[in-house]
Amino acid sequence: MERSQLLTLVLEQIEEHLQQTQIGNDASQPLPKISEDTPLYGKDGLVDSLGLVSIVLSVEQAINDELDSEIVIADDRAMSQKSSPFGTPGRLVDYTMLLINERK
Amino acid sequence: MSENRPLALVTGSSRGIGKFICEKLIVDGYDVIGCSRNPSELVNAHYQHIAADVSDQSSVLNLFKQIRKEHGSLSVIINNAGIASMNHCLLTTVEAFDRVLNVNLKGTFLVSREGAKLMRRHNFGRIVNLSTVAVPMSLEGESAYVASKSGVEALTKVLARELAEYGITVNALGPSPIETDLIKGVGADKIAKIVNRLALKRLGRVEDVYNVIEFFIRPASDYITGQVIYLGGI
């Protein structure tokens, strides 16, 4: 899987999550424009901890369905990174790419 | 296996209570996946056996990879796999302690975690964990077993809260001594002593166990979570 494909997948999962929550359902509040540098979780992040859990699990499932793999994104290494892999969509993509490449 | 029947996973399904639970679930309209390290004698069109060690993460991930690929959804998990170690704490080896904790507690955690990931796809799930009356009895001679099952009860209550928003209920039942292989090595006098501490003074039956499971997994039981029911009146 290429990085660009994975980024598209991650952004889709984030948008789907936002659509299912209040942010997306309020017509007066359009869906925020999300790029790979948009703060996802933490200071000024788009989602709270439960939202992050949903997104990470959805990404994990989509990848495992696609690649017929059993990747676990929220592993010990992810939790102990100096720079959280969940800070932005881009960082989530980079960390997930690492896991995908390691299984090859 | 049929697409119209809800899917249930039973761990420790090769014998005893686990095997009986599988048989009853099939009668009640479920397709059942059983898993254990040993092969199962159960042969039924609605039963599939997958060899797995619940205490090993990669084995559990493989188990769920297969379930996800072949079935795509999961409605019920019965975390029944368990081992006991009857010994005075001063004679309990760290290896025995690790073994019991790994299968009973870590196994329940791993299977619940991976199962809940599948269940949340359909916003529905029922997880039932097996504890024991030995927990509220603080039964002497079973330090590792009781510690592991106390952990299972605590896990049940936390998971119930964390998974509620996905439509998943998590409950536990604590059987009294049941006639299975697990208590074969326990002396008759010790069993009698435990039974005498119950309000209902008889050995439990596998039917008693399934009765509580059947109650927990009913769709109508969607307002019951984080509960532990003990058999025999403790």
Side-chain angles (χ1 to χ4, degrees):
Chain A
M1 181 179 266
E2 299 294 322
R3 188 182 187 282
S4 57
Q5 285 174 284
L6 184 57
L7 178 62
T8 306
L9 185 149
V10 166
L11 293 177
E12 275 172 6
Q13 297 299 333
I14 295 170
E15 277 169 14
E16 199 177 309
H17 171 77
L18 294 178
Q19 271 164 4
Q20 284 169 359
T21 58
Q22 284 304 315
I23 302 170
N25 289 338
D26 187 350
S28 64
Q29 195 179 355
L31 209 61
K33 183 102 179 94
I34 308 162
S35 73
E36 68 172 294
D37 297 319
T38 306
L40 178 62
Y41 180 66
K43 193 174 179 294
D44 301 324
L46 280 174
V47 297
D48 61 9
S49 57
L50 282 180
L52 181 68
V53 169
S54 282
I55 289 167
V56 168
L57 288 179
S58 299
V59 170
E60 193 177 284
Q61 279 176 5
I63 291 168
N64 286 335
D65 285 347
E66 176 82 19
L67 302 178
D68 192 21
S69 57
E70 60 262 20
I71 283 169
V72 177
I73 296 176
D75 60 5
D76 280 349
R77 195 166 39 158
M79 303 306 180
S80 61
Q81 300 269 308
K82 230 176 182 179
S83 167
S84 167
F86 309 122
T88 65
R91 273 195 246 151
L92 178 56
V93 168
D94 289 336
Y95 186 72
T96 310
M97 275 310 289
L98 182 78
L99 298 176
I100 292 172
N101 289 330
E102 277 179 357
R103 64 178 272 281
K104 284 176 185 169
Chain B
M1 295 284 195
S2 146
E3 281 184 11
N4 304 323
R5 294 163 70 107
L7 187 69
L9 169 68
V10 180
T11 68
S13 63
S14 64
R15 57 185 180 171
I17 297 175
K19 185 164 171 269
F20 181 81
I21 293 168
C22 291
E23 289 166 344
K24 292 294 283 182
L25 284 169
I26 291 167
V27 171
D28 284 352
Y30 288 85
D31 273 350
V32 178
I33 292 180
C35 80
S36 60
R37 284 172 301 176
N38 303 316
S40 169
E41 292 160 12
L42 185 55
V43 179
N44 188 291
H46 295 288
Y47 180 79
Q48 178 187 0
H49 194 80
I50 300 176
D53 176 358
V54 295
S55 65
D56 176 41
Q57 174 166 259
S58 62
S59 182
V60 173
L61 291 178
N62 267 322
L63 165 71
F64 279 93
K65 180 180 167 185
Q66 199 170 330
I67 295 174
R68 199 174 62 239
K69 217 169 142 184
E70 293 176 16
H71 304 278
S73 67
L74 181 65
S75 299
V76 170
I77 294 174
I78 313 295
N79 277 309
N80 165 70
I83 56 173
S85 169
M86 315 295 175
N87 224 336
H88 192 283
C89 68
L90 298 178
L91 301 175
T92 299
T93 64
V94 72
E95 290 81 9
F97 194 87
D98 280 346
R99 221 169 26 244
V100 173
L101 266 285
N102 278 339
V103 173
N104 296 0
L105 183 55
K106 192 166 95 180
T108 298
F109 167 72
L110 285 173
V111 171
S112 301
R113 186 189 71 187
E114 293 309 306
K117 288 179 184 177
L118 256 180
M119 288 170 164
R120 65 184 275 283
R121 288 180 169 188
H122 299 281
N123 218 37
F124 177 88
R126 298 277 181 270
I127 298 176
V128 182
N129 298 326
L130 269 284
S131 181
T132 166
V133 293
V135 171
M137 284 179 172
S138 302
L139 210 58
E140 59 272 35
E142 301 193 13
S143 54
Y145 184 61
V146 170
S148 72
K149 293 297 190 180
S150 295
V152 167
E153 291 189 10
L155 190 68
T156 299
K157 292 173 186 183
V158 177
L159 295 190
R161 290 179 176 275
E162 291 188 352
L163 300 177
E165 71 165 316
Y166 305 120
I168 301 169
T169 66
V170 189
N171 293 288
L173 85 130
S176 55
I178 309 275
E179 278 288 9
T180 68
D181 294 346
L182 209 61
I183 65 161
K184 269 184 185 166
V186 186
D189 54 333
K190 186 171 181 189
I191 296 293
K193 233 165 128 182
I194 299 169
V195 169
N196 275 329
R197 287 168 70 179
L198 300 171
L200 300 163
K201 300 187 193 313
R202 66 165 170 84
L203 279 177
R205 293 187 284 254
V206 282
E207 289 83 356
D208 300 318
V209 174
Y210 189 75
N211 180 43
V212 179
I213 289 175
E214 192 272 326
F215 166 68
F216 279 143
I217 67 175
R218 281 181 211 163
S221 294
D222 60 354
Y223 201 51
I224 296 164
T225 194
Q227 304 303 303
V228 184
I229 292 183
Y230 298 108
L231 294 181
I234 187 78

